[in-house]
Amino acid sequence: MSTRILTEFELLTPNTIPEALSILNEFRDNVIPIAGGTDVLVAMKFGFSTEYAMSISAIPDLDYLSFDPNKGLRIGANATISQILDSKAVKQHYPALWQSAKIFATPQIRNSATLIGNLLRASPAGDCSCAVYALGGSIVLVSQQGEREVDIDDLWISYQNTERRSDELAIELRIPAPEPAGRSAFKRLTRVNEDLAKLNVAVNLVMDGDKCTHARLAMGCVAPTPLRLRATEKLLIGQTLDGSVLKRVMASVKEEINPIDDQRSTAEYRKSVSGVFLRRAIEQACDIS
Amino acid sequence: MTEFRTVGKSEIKIDVKAKVTGRAVYAADINLPGTLHAKIVRCYEHAHAKVKSLDLSEAAKIPGVVKVFAPEDLTTKFYNQSVIDIMVSEDMRGMLGDIEDQKILTDHVKHYGDGIAAIVATTEEAAERAAERIKVEYEPLPVYLNATESSQDGAVQFTPQKPRNMAFELPEPAFPNNTLGWGDADEGFKEADIIVEDNFYTSKQKQAQMEPNSYIALYDDDGLLSCWTSTQMPKSVQPKIAKLFNLPMSRVRIIQTVVGGGFGARLGMVLEPHICALAMALPGHPIKVQSPREEDWLTSPSRHPGDYWMKMGFKKDGTPVACDAKFVNYKGGYYLDGSGVAFTTGGWVSGLYKFGALRYKGESYFTNQPVCGAYRGYGNPQTNFVLEQLVDRACHELKIDPVEWRKKWHKDVGDDGWCAGVPYASCALDEVLDEGAKAIDWKAKREKYAQQTGVKRRGVGVAVMVHTSGAMPMLLEHTVCTVRLNEDATAVVAFACSDMGQGSHTTLRQIAAETLGFPLEDVSLSVGDSNDAGYDIGAHASRTLYVGGGAVMAACKDALKQLLERAATMLEANPDDLEIEDKQIFVKGSPDRKVAASEICSGGVYPFLNPQTGAPDTIPGQILGYSSFNPMHNSPPFGACFVELEVDTETGEIKLIEMVNGHDIGRAINPAVVEGQLEGGAQQGLGMALTEELYFSTDGKVLNNTFTDYKMLGPSDMPKITNVIIENPDPHGPFGAKSVGEAGLVAPVGATANAIYNAIGIQITDLPITPEKILKALNEKHAA
Ligand SMILES: Cc1cc2nc3c(=O)[nH]c(=O)nc-3n(C[C@H](O)[C@H](O)[C@H](O)COP(=O)(O)OP(=O)(O)OC[C@H]3O[C@@H](n4cnc5c(N)ncnc54)[C@H](O)[C@@H]3O)c2cc1C
């Protein structure tokens, strides 16, 4: 049951990254970082409590989104979903990410929610998480011990658990430079338009003519974390995306996912639309209709 | 047509600026000096249990706690939070039996979230902290989530007065064989060429009005109990509170704060008994309770869910020879208005079509679910979902156009209405259907969609409905109005009619101005305090403009009559020969023989004595118009809704494309308000059809009492809407007006279901119609 009272916590607002790292180092599991707070504050209303909360919003220069055709996309920890939506480079080179930002929540939420927050929430329903998973990339974690780059493939360990240690701050997401023949798309199913996904899917393909040379497929709400459809990806690589390949792909995804019944849908439904949905995302990416 | 001054104009709603600027003062905004804060402690462990022990000692120790309350620390008198008991005649009350089955705090938990203790503290926070310290031991009882379970042999009784947990069935004395209808249905079916029949389930939908529940009460040094509440029914809550606490009504004052939406959730009482009991226990302290949004789903009444069976017989030419129906609703833990929806659900069947014979049974059974009561439509949306789908199934089998069938077989002027004995006095349904069909391009689309192939299938569906304007003759309809003319000939109109956002204060003011012949800005309203106005049953049954409007008109006519009589004396003319324009009263045909209304009004207020004559120079006495109004009819409005949508046959997803909502308004006093009601209703009707439902774990816990999982359609989910408003003045309504408050919600439910049927040839019989259900049905159809 929700409460009208937020649990008591001490709010820390470091002004620099070193200050933030020293706070994290000192309080470890007793401090939770807050970016936009759109997940953390909702959790607090439903009983989550913490001794310390550290808002990173006062740290300057973390709200960047920069694109370099050779190096790719870099997104700072304070960059919001609205910024992603406003970026022409994202729209042009990373359609899956842009589309996931487009359907994301409402303008108010998009103005405060961050992309890094979405990844670190480690929700199997995270929309931008699904898109980033398909696009591939890495997240930069820093601590007083130094900096490391964690591949997105290794980020999510289990339901709401990530590779991040409690003394680490995520400062940046890196997404590789777009392939000239790359194509991507994102789609989701919801109960009403403004909702969390009951199923989401993102595809990232590299095409050589009508042959697929590289594929990354991700699906959400079908496992405890966002899921990469590795077996299904293999069915695409080296293939022309014709009817029979797509049929095999559709059959495969059903076998690869392990959805459950919950408030938003049923396991049966998720299984039965997963193939169609993936096929449509592929068609959308490749402009097949 | 008559020329009106303000009637028929879309005047700006009087509450709109305060609401959009955030300046409207809701109950939650009121902070009286010295306010203490209350928390009702609820049971979230069980949906059905006895409290074996309750230990409040640790809670009492929390700093800031003023007092903790177990059930026996407050009145343990039984009451009923609805107002059904004061709306019906003595005879009818007798037939309902003992319906007082609620206590302020209980030791028999009957639903998830039932209240078991209360805390008053200096801050909300202290009260909430203390609530966490309460120790309770429960004895779990079996949980019944539907009527079949709760009525089985050996089931735990909810209340000794209602055996087999049957809260209500149509009472024998008024309804022979516990049925409503006419003719012999069994004989009727023998004449049928085709029969359509099915079992349906209609879901537990919640009003989800914007304002959560906040209340304040103060039992002051003078022995006056004041309660600030956004109830829809201040004048009905007043006697109920007086009775519960054995106070004369003169010692109870209900102050209605701005009502942030009602839709039935505030029909009667919610936490008024609790806050008043706490105020009585702590005299001299204002006590405030602000209940979280999540508690609204658990404490204020929802729509009645239930099992609805219906069977209809038709001749080949479409003649509906018989209809047989039964609605068994899941009442929830307490009675409330247990008789109402069980009856009206059948009333709406009886009011719509000319069946050769009709037999309807309605029953209510207790269940371990939060309570049910009034929700916009009051049984009508449930009936619309069932009746209108079966009509379309028959039309499909008989190859008859659904619009044509409805035009031929709907009841009309002179036919008995939803309540036998009150024949319809006006009906514009044919025109509504014709105009609506034209607006959606019915014929062309039906033809086109019959030829479809492919993954995405379009469908267009229709449904019609009849509703009511006030609930006479079943329930009391009474509104008192006074009109006081100020010395400058402006008017103060006082009544206790509620404006829940539906615009009734705006439209009632228009009726007052029109009747008086005054400019709108010369009429002000005195509303809100139950002690400042005469009786009004409260806002329910789409009555406020119709009954309240009747009362306002009558009181204004009374004031006007007094004004004209005085003018007649002054002008030495016959009152019948006088006319009023721009607040000048003159003799018809001789515009020079005139007197200003302000001169008469001022003379009434300032009747100075003439020193020469010793008599007043003017006619003394402030003019006060008065009415105590009971309507002679219930002028049912008819409506027709057309919905066009697209079904994705690979995912079961539904995309709403367009809606035409047609309504037989009689007269639109304020067209923008009428459209607002239709569109707001459409949003709730579409939500009922497609997404809205409160659902439970097998042990009776409510799983989605948050907006995270109770899904309502947002602006981007809504189709394009066209409202078709047909004005065909009703002989009884004020200026010919009929109601629109509830109506807009009803037909979208059936029209949506019928559009899906048209698109994919499948009728979903379980609400809400989700993609999950559609896809499953499509797969089954495919397999077969
Ligand atoms: C009304 C509403 C609608 C929503 N709709 C959607 C939707 O459509 N799609 C969707 O995917 N989500 C949705 N969400 C969820 C939420 O908005 C997103 O997950 C959002 O991206 C979280 O970002 P944030 O900045 O608000 O995160 P926060 O709440 O601040 O943090 C989320 C998590 O990330 C951690 N974290 C954040 N930044 C850092 C950092 N720099 N280093 C280390 N840890 C960090 C936090 O500790 C926390 O565990 C919705 C939420 C609400 C309230």
Side-chain angles (χ1 to χ4, degrees):
Chain A
M1 196 51 49
S2 103
T3 152
R4 293 200 19 100
I5 316 287
L6 277 188
T7 57
E8 248 167 68
F9 58 87
E10 201 159 320
L11 180 67
L12 308 169
T13 49
N15 293 308
T16 62
I17 292 177
E19 247 182 83
L21 298 183
S22 115
I23 289 168
L24 290 174
N25 191 53
E26 187 179 348
F27 298 118
R28 304 268 167 152
D29 286 331
N30 296 327
V31 60
I32 183 156
I34 297 185
T38 61
D39 278 322
V40 175
L41 273 101
V42 173
M44 283 178 176
K45 288 282 281 179
F46 283 85
F48 168 77
S49 68
T50 179
E51 222 178 311
Y52 298 97
M54 181 184 81
S55 166
I56 61 166
S57 61
I59 302 177
D61 304 328
L62 274 182
D63 59 351
Y64 58 89
L65 187 154
S66 69
F67 175 69
D68 179 321
N70 301 314
K71 293 191 188 136
L73 193 62
R74 287 168 183 246
I75 297 171
N78 276 332
T80 62
I81 308 295
S82 294
Q83 283 175 262
I84 295 179
L85 203 50
D86 289 343
S87 159
K88 286 202 178 81
V90 173
K91 188 173 182 183
Q92 187 184 343
H93 301 294
Y94 306 95
L97 181 59
W98 190 83
Q99 287 154 8
S100 73
K102 177 106 175 90
I103 50 71
F104 196 101
T106 57
Q108 297 94 318
I109 297 286
R110 289 198 290 269
N111 284 341
S112 39
T114 62
L115 177 58
I116 298 240
N118 195 258
L119 297 172
L120 284 163
R121 164 74 214 278
S123 157
D127 291 315
C128 294
S129 300
C130 179
V132 170
Y133 206 4
L135 292 171
S138 58
I139 193 158
V140 180
L141 299 174
V142 289
S143 70
Q144 289 187 334
Q145 266 67 53
E147 185 177 306
R148 64 181 177 131
E149 214 176 315
V150 173
D151 195 293
I152 189 79
D153 286 357
D154 304 322
L155 180 64
W156 299 299
I157 297 170
S158 60
Y159 181 64
Q160 295 191 5
N161 267 318
T162 67
E163 178 60 29
R164 183 185 83 89
R165 290 195 318 263
S166 60
D167 65 334
E168 285 176 316
L169 182 70
I171 54 164
E172 185 177 280
L173 173 74
R174 297 178 181 160
I175 302 182
E179 295 279 343
R183 290 149 175 275
S184 73
F186 168 89
K187 285 178 84 67
R188 71 168 185 176
L189 282 172
T190 51
R191 294 165 295 186
V192 294
N193 286 337
E194 287 167 6
D195 193 8
L196 300 172
K198 57 167 103 158
L199 192 75
N200 55 22
V201 64
V203 304
N204 176 25
L205 310 173
V206 179
M207 303 297 291
D208 179 5
D210 53 5
K211 197 172 271 174
C212 175
T213 59
H214 172 88
R216 277 179 74 101
L217 310 175
M219 194 168 267
C221 313
V222 292
T225 61
L227 188 73
R228 242 188 94 180
L229 306 170
R230 291 175 194 272
T232 309
E233 286 168 5
K234 291 201 183 96
L235 299 177
L236 288 170
I237 295 166
Q239 302 294 324
T240 304
L241 304 184
D242 59 18
S244 70
V245 168
L246 291 178
K247 233 185 206 149
R248 264 180 281 146
V249 162
M250 287 170 70
S252 161
V253 60
K254 259 189 206 129
E255 301 305 317
E256 238 187 315
I257 61 175
N258 192 14
I260 56 167
D261 288 351
D262 64 13
Q263 320 287 64
R264 297 199 286 275
S265 189
T266 62
E268 183 192 344
Y269 179 79
R270 287 173 165 130
K271 275 214 160 181
S272 70
V273 298
S274 58
V276 169
F277 217 56
L278 176 62
R279 188 199 74 213
R280 288 188 184 177
I282 293 170
E283 288 169 349
Q284 184 178 316
C286 301
D287 286 327
I288 311 171
S289 55
Chain B
M1 223 175 88
T2 338
E3 281 290 323
F4 292 119
R5 180 188 290 272
T6 169
V7 158
K9 288 211 181 101
S10 292
E11 309 280 7
I12 290 173
K13 280 164 96 174
I14 43 187
D15 53 345
V16 94
K17 282 188 190 158
K19 282 181 177 165
V20 298
T21 54
R23 285 188 208 122
V25 177
Y26 294 87
D29 299 320
I30 297 173
N31 290 306
L32 302 174
T35 295
L36 299 176
H37 298 269
K39 165 102 189 151
I40 309 298
V41 184
R42 302 185 176 280
C43 171
Y44 294 124
E45 289 83 3
H46 303 281
H48 199 190
K50 283 266 187 234
V51 175
K52 271 178 38 192
S53 71
L54 182 67
D55 178 357
L56 303 174
S57 55
E58 290 299 313
K61 289 182 200 156
I62 297 287
V65 169
V66 176
K67 211 164 176 181
V68 292
F69 298 86
E72 58 279 10
D73 300 328
L74 297 171
T75 181
T76 53
K77 219 163 126 182
F78 283 107
Y79 68 96
N80 178 317
Q81 80 179 70
S82 88
V83 290
I84 193 78
D85 46 347
I86 56 175
M87 285 179 167
V88 296
S89 67
E90 189 112 9
D91 269 6
M92 187 59 82
R93 201 153 47 222
M95 288 185 230
L96 302 183
D98 186 350
I99 61 170
E100 297 192 325
D101 59 356
Q102 288 174 282
K103 283 186 191 172
I104 291 173
L105 300 172
T106 187
D107 60 4
H108 181 175
V109 170
K110 291 180 181 165
H111 63 81
Y112 180 75
D114 217 348
I116 55 164
I119 293 162
V120 173
T122 49
T123 63
E124 261 194 288
E125 190 162 359
E128 200 165 291
R129 299 261 175 273
E132 291 163 8
R133 298 297 175 87
I134 287 181
K135 294 195 194 99
V136 201
E137 267 184 281
Y138 294 103
E139 176 194 332
L141 296 170
V143 172
Y144 312 117
L145 293 178
N146 59 52
T148 316
E149 289 170 8
S150 67
S151 62
Q152 75 206 348
D153 287 342
V156 178
Q157 289 299 293
F158 279 54
T159 149
Q161 299 94 279
K162 306 285 178 195
R164 284 181 53 242
N165 288 326
M166 185 198 258
F168 177 81
E169 66 177 326
L170 295 177
E172 184 66 35
F175 300 94
N177 300 317
N178 311 106
T179 60
L180 169 166
W182 58 81
D184 184 333
D186 294 323
E187 283 302 311
F189 282 117
K190 288 181 189 161
E191 294 173 41
D193 295 315
I194 69 152
I195 302 262
V196 289
E197 176 184 2
D198 220 327
N199 291 297
F200 296 80
Y201 170 75
T202 64
S203 54
K204 193 167 174 76
Q205 187 191 17
K206 198 72 189 80
Q207 298 85 348
Q209 75 292 341
M210 282 211 213
E211 184 200 4
N213 299 310
S214 295
Y215 305 87
I216 300 149
L218 169 65
Y219 189 48
D220 69 16
D221 298 329
D222 201 22
L224 180 70
L225 175 63
S226 299
C227 179
W228 286 259
T229 158
S230 56
T231 178
Q232 301 174 217
M233 302 195 139
K235 293 297 250 186
S236 293
V237 170
Q238 188 183 17
K240 294 219 55 151
I241 290 290
K243 183 179 168 202
L244 182 59
F245 297 105
N246 296 318
L247 292 170
M249 278 175 67
S250 59
R251 301 286 81 200
V252 177
R253 182 176 162 222
I254 305 293
I255 302 121
Q256 188 188 47
T257 49
V258 173
V259 187
F263 312 111
R266 304 186 195 289
L267 206 148
M269 307 188 287
V270 185
L271 298 184
E272 289 90 341
H274 305 68
I275 201 67
C276 288
L278 294 170
M280 301 275 293
L282 291 163
H285 298 280
I287 321 270
K288 182 172 182 180
V289 64
Q290 286 181 266
S291 102
R293 163 59 66 181
E294 289 75 10
E295 282 185 15
D296 181 52
W297 275 278
L298 312 178
T299 52
S300 75
S302 72
R303 193 181 296 295
H304 289 71
D307 301 312
Y308 204 144
W309 167 83
M310 191 180 280
K311 174 178 167 182
M312 285 193 278
F314 297 82
K315 286 192 189 166
K316 279 203 188 87
D317 65 357
T319 307
V321 288
C323 175
D324 199 0
K326 185 173 178 182
F327 181 51
V328 174
N329 73 66
Y330 310 169
K331 195 53 249 189
Y334 299 99
Y335 188 92
L336 277 80
D337 49 346
S339 56
V341 161
F343 161 72
T344 57
T345 302
W348 310 126
V349 182
S350 75
L352 200 49
Y353 294 126
K354 297 172 183 169
F355 297 110
L358 169 69
R359 177 171 58 207
Y360 165 85
K361 275 181 178 255
E363 295 170 1
S364 308
Y365 290 87
F366 292 118
T367 53
N368 294 115
Q369 294 165 318
V371 293
C372 306
Y375 180 3
R376 199 176 198 176
Y378 211 69
N380 211 347
Q382 290 97 316
T383 284
N384 204 265
F385 179 65
V386 171
L387 177 63
E388 292 297 86
Q389 284 206 81
L390 285 182
V391 164
D392 266 32
R393 200 185 291 183
C395 286
H396 180 77
E397 275 190 46
L398 296 167
K399 299 191 168 55
I400 297 175
D401 180 273
V403 170
E404 293 308 317
W405 188 90
R406 286 173 172 85
K407 278 175 69 178
K408 185 154 179 200
W409 293 106
H410 74 76
K411 284 190 170 181
D412 213 328
V413 175
D415 292 325
D416 237 343
W418 62 265
C419 188
V422 188
Y424 293 130
S426 67
C427 170
L429 185 54
D430 286 342
E431 202 179 338
V432 171
L433 273 166
D434 286 340
E435 293 299 314
K438 213 188 294 168
I440 198 113
D441 200 10
W442 170 260
K443 281 227 162 77
K445 281 181 182 162
R446 290 286 285 199
E447 271 171 34
K448 190 168 151 205
Y449 300 156
Q451 317 297 327
Q452 291 175 93
T453 54
V455 169
K456 302 211 171 157
R457 300 286 174 93
R458 289 274 175 114
V460 56
V462 64
V464 300
M465 69 102 226
V466 61
H467 205 69
T468 196
S469 308
M472 76 74 74
M474 290 309 288
L475 304 180
L476 173 73
E477 280 304 350
H478 184 191
T479 296
V480 171
C481 177
T482 58
V483 180
R484 196 172 71 232
L485 299 188
N486 294 320
E487 46 270 49
D488 63 349
T490 57
V492 180
V493 180
F495 50 67
C497 297
S498 301
D499 192 334
M500 315 183 272
Q502 83 276 41
S504 58
H505 286 175
T506 307
T507 51
L508 291 176
R509 185 179 179 219
Q510 286 177 262
I511 287 178
E514 192 69 56
T515 311
L516 289 168
F518 287 9
L520 197 59
E521 51 289 0
D522 284 1
V523 175
S524 70
L525 303 182
S526 168
V527 289
D529 187 328
S530 66
N531 285 346
D532 287 354
Y535 187 74
D536 174 77
I537 181 100
H540 80 123
S542 303
R543 69 180 292 279
T544 304
L545 178 108
Y546 182 81
V547 183
V552 168
M553 244 178 130
C556 289
K557 279 184 180 161
D558 184 34
L560 192 60
K561 182 165 161 258
Q562 296 175 44
L563 193 64
L564 294 179
E565 275 166 3
R566 291 187 193 187
T569 307
M570 291 161 78
L571 298 170
E572 295 173 346
N574 187 326
D576 294 339
D577 295 338
L578 298 182
E579 230 170 330
I580 178 163
E581 186 153 352
D582 291 334
K583 303 221 288 193
Q584 300 286 328
I585 300 160
F586 57 92
V587 180
K588 274 180 224 166
S590 13
D592 297 341
R593 284 176 68 197
K594 65 175 178 185
V595 54
S598 58
E599 192 184 326
I600 302 171
C601 292
S602 153
V605 172
Y606 305 108
F608 295 111
L609 296 187
N610 183 313
Q612 266 86 52
T613 64
D617 270 338
T618 55
I619 303 171
Q622 185 165 17
I623 292 178
L624 189 67
Y626 169 79
S627 74
S628 179
F629 179 79
N630 305 98
M632 301 311 289
H633 208 279
N634 54 32
S635 302
F638 290 78
C641 179
F642 295 81
V643 168
E644 183 183 2
L645 47 73
E646 185 174 271
V647 181
D648 184 328
T649 57
E650 286 183 336
T651 63
E653 295 253 288
I654 293 164
K655 189 168 146 210
L656 294 166
I657 312 275
E658 190 178 350
M659 165 185 271
V660 173
N661 220 349
H663 191 70
D664 161 30
I665 190 67
R667 161 110 48 220
I669 301 292
N670 182 319
V673 164
V674 173
E675 294 205 47
Q677 288 299 294
L678 288 174
E679 289 177 16
Q683 186 269 353
Q684 291 177 314
L686 292 169
M688 176 171 171
L690 298 176
T691 60
E692 294 186 41
E693 175 183 31
L694 199 63
Y695 48 82
F696 299 84
S697 64
T698 47
D699 63 352
K701 294 189 176 122
V702 177
L703 295 176
N704 65 330
N705 53 325
T706 74
F707 286 123
T708 308
D709 287 311
Y710 185 88
K711 294 323 280 190
M712 304 174 76
L713 302 192
S716 68
D717 299 298
M718 290 294 286
K720 169 189 166 204
I721 299 185
T722 307
N723 299 305
V724 172
I725 296 167
I726 302 294
E727 294 194 276
N728 168 40
D730 177 83
H732 302 285
F735 298 100
K738 305 200 274 188
S739 78
V740 67
E742 294 169 277
L745 189 152
V746 179
V749 182
T752 304
N754 282 340
I756 292 168
Y757 181 47
N758 181 236
I760 57 172
I762 291 175
Q763 291 190 327
I764 302 289
T765 54
D766 257 27
L767 281 173
I769 308 175
T770 59
E772 284 77 2
K773 289 177 193 170
I774 291 187
L775 194 64
K776 200 167 174 198
L778 282 165
N779 288 341
E780 281 163 10
K781 189 180 169 191
H782 217 72

